[in-house]
Amino acid sequence: MIDDETRYRAVDSRDARFDGVFFTAVTSTGIYCRPSCPAVTPKRVNCTFYPTAAAAQGAGFRACRRCRPDSVPGSPEWNHRADLVGRAMRLIGDGVVDREGVAGLAERLGYSARQLQRQLTAELGAGPIALARAQRAQAARLLLQTTRLPVTEVAFAAGFASVRQFNDTVREVYDRTPSGLRAEARGAGGGGSAGGPQAAVAGALSLRLAYRGSIDTGHLMDFLALRAVPGVEEVVSGARGVRTYRRTLRLPHGQAIAEVDALPPGDAVRPDRGWLDCRLRLTDLRDLTTAVHRLRALFDLDADPQAVAEQLGADPLLGPLVARRPGLRSPGHVDPHELAVRAVLGQQVTVAAARTLAGRLAARYGTPLSMGTARPTSGEGEGEPSGGLSVLFPEAGALADADPADLAMPASRQQALRGLCAALAEGTVRLDPGVDREQAAEQLLALRGIGPWTVGYLRMRALGDPDVFLPGDLGVRHGLVRLGAPGDARSAAAAALAWSPWRSYAVHQLWASASDGPSDGASASDAR
């Protein structure tokens, strides 16, 4: 917890670490800013602090056009909080309110809509509708400034129920009409912090994914490339040696292709630049918010690397590793069901073998990539593969009924895979962003063939838990031995107590230490 005096010192020093953690509203100007806003620091008496952009908007403040506070990274608090507010914020970020309304959000969380409204308002200064509205406003700005879509279509693509609601919100948040907001971007020669020139292809957007602190994109690309499922995802090299992660996405309203660039190698760009370049092509632009949220989770962009480094860097064992790899992230995933399937496929086999089997299942049971002309209410159209991407990973229901001849694995693991996929398809096991992590772990462990390693791996990546340790993982044990520490599971678990609440990051440090490329060696306890 931080007090207002600490917040003001962060504003006075333009400390970007606090961007997204709180917002500063200036009563003398009627605007709200991120803490690192480059404008002249306002007087303390004129500053009011809010935990969310939605709260500042609800109090009548409009977004600063200089620092674009709506484009900051999300608060790292929502990564590790397992309470109602944390779970609700993850679901709102995934677009649940836009798709299912407040009633749907409350049902997923197991609370009444009134209880949810009361708790969010008490802690965040805004209820679920206001929080979703702030998110829609950001999506609208992005669409206005990076596409040629008519303003009316932007309104519905951003999730607004009517053009009037859209117009009113844009005026309130940005002090501009939608047309004025678009003209402002054109005058600046592009989308500003939203990124890039206007899209030349229907449904294509260029944007910047903000992050705080430093980031080790080399580790991220190595990690993802090692596991890339043929036809579903790939890591390719481009100009100046910049690597790009590309993959297909299954989204609530359609399909998408996402591309995220690593930072250029060498010293061409500082690792604390603050954003990664991203390109999205969506068959339905209503999926914009959800796609961005899931990519942010994949690259762990809302993390606070300084908080992680302060804890792990002070440890005698991990300190040298942290100093060698500043900004190392703990990658999440864009599709928890896909990751769950791949975790079972990876039991007792090498990463390469699991990737090969996943590729075969994707080719046999996946949905062909079909990128048609995007419009806010369009369905899937005719299309062709894009580079090495040709298919969406199979849905759980399809794999639950897969032909045994297609499952090149022992009978016990086939049963585990079928049971898991059936539970995911039926909803008896939930892995969505708002699920209670402890409850999900219990449900998974109750399934035959799902053991502690698989559950821990899913908590770490599918559920974004920053405090997971895998004491039985072969890569973790090898990493410890390489550092001169005992590698048995009991000793590893004991050593990891000092690394809480950032044990997931410790796992990645040990994986990297083990072989300059993380391992997914499963524990024997998962084969039961």
Side-chain angles (χ1 to χ4, degrees):
M1 298 294 292
I2 55 176
D3 57 28
D4 283 355
E5 293 309 313
T6 302
R7 293 185 180 97
Y8 186 72
R9 287 197 296 272
V11 171
D12 191 38
S13 61
R14 296 176 175 82
D15 194 333
R17 293 177 301 167
F18 292 92
D19 287 356
V21 177
F22 68 87
F23 297 84
T24 306
V26 185
T27 56
S28 58
T29 61
I31 66 171
Y32 73 93
C33 303
R34 63 171 78 192
S36 64
C37 182
V40 175
T41 303
K43 295 179 179 178
R44 171 66 184 89
V45 69
N46 293 331
C47 293
T48 303
F49 303 103
Y50 292 94
T52 61
Q57 293 169 16
F61 294 92
R62 64 184 185 275
C64 174
R65 292 199 296 273
R66 187 169 182 180
C67 71
R68 292 297 189 200
D70 60 337
S71 62
V72 298
S75 172
E77 197 172 357
W78 313 134
N79 286 357
H80 59 79
R81 283 183 55 169
D83 61 1
L84 172 63
V85 174
R87 293 164 56 205
M89 287 298 287
R90 290 193 289 271
L91 283 172
I92 292 170
D94 199 53
V96 168
V97 172
D98 292 335
R99 297 192 299 273
E100 303 174 21
V102 175
L105 174 66
E107 183 178 358
R108 282 175 176 254
L109 295 168
Y111 286 78
S112 71
R114 181 175 295 182
Q115 288 174 312
L116 181 61
Q117 173 76 25
R118 186 186 305 120
Q119 194 149 341
L120 289 178
T121 301
E123 185 160 345
L124 304 178
I129 292 177
L131 291 163
R133 175 179 178 266
Q135 200 166 254
R136 286 194 290 270
Q138 181 185 3
R141 178 175 70 82
L142 186 62
L143 290 169
L144 285 168
Q145 296 185 336
T146 63
T147 76
R148 297 191 180 99
L149 276 178
V151 170
T152 301
E153 293 191 10
V154 168
F156 294 109
F160 290 94
S162 68
V163 174
R164 179 176 180 178
Q165 182 189 74
F166 162 70
N167 288 333
D168 291 345
T169 298
V170 171
R171 287 193 186 96
E172 289 175 19
V173 174
Y174 299 110
D175 194 30
R176 289 285 187 276
T177 64
S179 298
L181 200 58
R182 173 169 278 174
E184 182 180 90
R186 287 174 178 166
S193 64
Q198 293 185 359
V201 179
L205 302 99
S206 296
L207 57 148
R208 291 175 174 178
L209 302 178
Y211 62 86
R212 62 175 54 81
S214 296
I215 189 168
D216 184 351
T217 55
H219 169 263
L220 284 166
M221 291 295 165
D222 289 343
F223 186 91
L224 296 172
L226 186 64
R227 292 157 180 77
V229 176
V232 176
E233 53 188 341
E234 62 181 355
V235 174
V236 298
S237 295
R240 297 182 298 153
V242 174
R243 290 191 290 174
T244 298
Y245 174 74
R246 307 180 70 241
R247 73 156 290 146
T248 60
L249 298 174
R250 185 190 306 276
L251 298 168
H253 300 293
Q255 303 182 4
I257 294 174
E259 299 180 352
V260 180
D261 294 339
L263 297 179
D267 299 325
V269 173
R270 290 167 52 95
D272 59 354
R273 178 179 72 174
W275 77 85
L276 299 180
D277 289 316
C278 172
R279 293 165 298 282
L280 280 170
R281 188 177 174 199
L282 304 159
T283 61
D284 192 316
L285 289 168
R286 290 176 296 176
D287 286 323
L288 171 61
T289 296
T290 302
V292 169
H293 182 265
R294 295 181 183 181
L295 288 171
R296 295 190 63 79
L298 173 65
F299 285 88
D300 193 25
L301 298 182
D302 292 330
D304 183 352
Q306 180 159 337
V308 176
E310 287 175 356
Q311 175 84 8
L312 301 185
D315 184 83
L317 193 64
L318 293 184
L321 301 184
V322 174
R324 194 181 311 143
R325 288 182 174 272
L328 183 140
R329 304 298 169 114
S330 177
H333 206 272
V334 297
D335 185 342
H337 288 193
E338 175 186 327
L339 185 67
V341 169
R342 291 169 60 173
V344 173
L345 296 180
Q347 291 177 2
Q348 309 299 307
V349 299
T350 65
V351 176
R355 183 180 64 235
T356 299
L357 179 55
R360 290 172 182 167
L361 291 177
R364 176 73 175 83
Y365 295 99
T367 304
L369 182 64
S370 183
M371 300 297 298
T373 300
R375 284 293 181 262
T377 57
S378 69
E380 296 176 359
E382 295 301 323
E384 303 237 347
S386 172
L389 307 181
S390 59
V391 67
L392 278 67
F393 197 82
E395 295 184 272
L399 292 177
D401 299 323
D403 187 335
D406 294 324
L407 303 178
M409 61 184 73
S412 60
R413 196 138 51 92
Q414 287 190 26
Q415 293 175 358
L417 180 63
R418 289 175 178 278
L420 171 66
C421 289
L424 292 173
E426 295 165 2
T428 54
V429 171
R430 287 179 49 211
L431 297 176
D432 62 71
V435 73
D436 183 294
R437 290 166 178 161
E438 295 296 334
Q439 183 179 13
E442 292 176 4
Q443 292 171 344
L444 286 165
L445 284 171
L447 298 175
R448 183 174 180 83
I450 305 298
W453 180 87
T454 300
V455 172
Y457 188 71
L458 291 178
R459 283 191 67 146
M460 182 171 66
R461 294 199 61 200
L463 303 183
D465 189 339
D467 196 28
V468 174
F469 193 68
L470 305 174
D473 181 87
L474 295 180
V476 167
R477 294 163 66 181
H478 290 162
L480 287 168
V481 169
R482 187 169 182 177
L483 295 175
D488 63 283
R490 179 171 297 186
S491 298
L497 293 175
W499 305 332
S500 184
W502 309 114
R503 286 179 288 186
S504 296
Y505 296 89
V507 168
H508 281 277
Q509 290 285 4
L510 292 170
W511 276 343
S513 171
S515 60
D516 292 329
S519 166
D520 268 0
S523 155
S525 64
D526 279 14
R528 63 181 174 95

